[in-house]
Amino acid sequence: GYDRTRKQLRAARRCPAIEALLDVVTLPGRVPGDAEWLVTNRLGSFAMGCADGVPRRKYHGWLVVRDPGFGESLHALAAIGETVRYQGQTHLLFALPHGESIEPRGFEEIESFEALPIPTWVYRVGDARVSKTLVLDAESDTVTARYVFSGLTGPAELWLQPFITFRPRIHRTPEGAVM
C-alpha cells in the first residue's frame, strides 16, 4: 500500500541530506511532496516527477523520449524554471537540488497539486494565483506547459528557462553541469 511505496521511494533516493530536507514537505491538501505523477504517450515517451517539483530520480523529467527504434530512451527536458515578477516581487516557482540543499524552494509557493487527469499545480504569487498544467501529446513527443494567472491586480511577467539535458535516461547529469 501507500506506506510500502513511500518507503520504497525513500530507499531510492541517493542523497540523505535532501531526504531529510524533504521529509518535512507536505503540500496543502495532505499531498506528500514526494508523491509522484506520470503522463505517457502512445510512442512510449513520458513525463514524470514529484508533486513538489524536486527531481528525486534520474529519470524524473518533463520529457523523456523513447527511441523509435526501441533503443535507449533520451532524457531531453528536465524541467522549466519559472520566475514570476508581480507587484515588485520575484517568485521562483521551481526547485532544484544542489549538493545538500535545495534552491530555489518553489514548493513553498504551491497552494495545491492534482495528478489526475493531468498534473496541475496552483502557486500563490502575492495576492494572485498561477495555475500550471503539463500535457504530453498522445501522438508526438511534444510536452506543453500551460500557465494561467488569476486574481491579478496589476501587471505580471512570466520568465521561463528550460533545463535541457539530452542524455541517456539511465545516466545522471553530472553535478554542476549546465542544463
Side-chain angles (χ1 to χ4, degrees):
Y2 173 77
D3 290 332
R4 189 182 85 232
T5 302
R6 189 168 171 84
K7 287 177 187 173
Q8 289 170 341
L9 285 172
R10 283 191 179 139
R13 294 185 188 142
R14 299 195 185 269
C15 180
I18 297 294
E19 180 179 345
L21 284 170
L22 293 172
D23 270 348
V24 299
V25 176
T26 299
L27 302 178
R30 298 178 179 240
V31 176
D34 63 359
E36 292 185 298
W37 56 268
L38 170 68
V39 291
T40 62
N41 69 10
R42 293 180 182 164
L43 304 175
S45 300
F46 64 90
M48 180 182 192
C50 289
D52 60 11
V54 178
R56 290 179 176 77
R57 300 174 185 264
K58 61 187 171 186
Y59 48 85
H60 279 175
W62 284 23
L63 184 58
V64 179
V65 180
R66 179 74 175 168
D67 179 4
F70 300 104
E72 191 169 5
S73 298
L74 178 68
H75 192 286
L77 179 64
I80 293 179
E82 306 107 334
T83 302
V84 174
R85 291 212 24 95
Y86 177 61
Q87 295 181 330
Q89 294 187 339
T90 300
H91 303 267
L92 304 175
L93 305 183
F94 61 103
L96 295 173
H98 297 280
E100 295 185 1
S101 67
I102 300 170
E103 290 298 331
R105 299 175 61 86
F107 51 81
E108 294 175 342
E109 307 276 355
I110 297 175
E111 186 172 87
S112 66
F113 170 76
E114 295 291 331
L116 298 172
I118 57 175
T120 303
W121 294 260
V122 177
Y123 297 89
R124 291 181 313 276
V125 178
D127 60 356
R129 302 293 180 268
V130 179
S131 174
K132 172 178 73 178
T133 56
L134 202 62
V135 177
L136 185 60
D137 187 81
E139 301 296 332
S140 70
D141 292 325
T142 304
V143 65
T144 302
R146 180 175 184 229
Y147 299 86
V148 177
F149 286 81
S150 61
L152 292 174
T153 58
E157 295 178 1
L158 173 63
W159 294 77
L160 302 175
Q161 177 184 5
F163 299 125
I164 299 169
T165 47
F166 286 117
R167 64 169 169 79
R169 176 185 58 90
I170 61 171
H171 295 111
R172 297 189 71 130
T173 302
E175 190 170 326
V178 175
M179 293 193 277

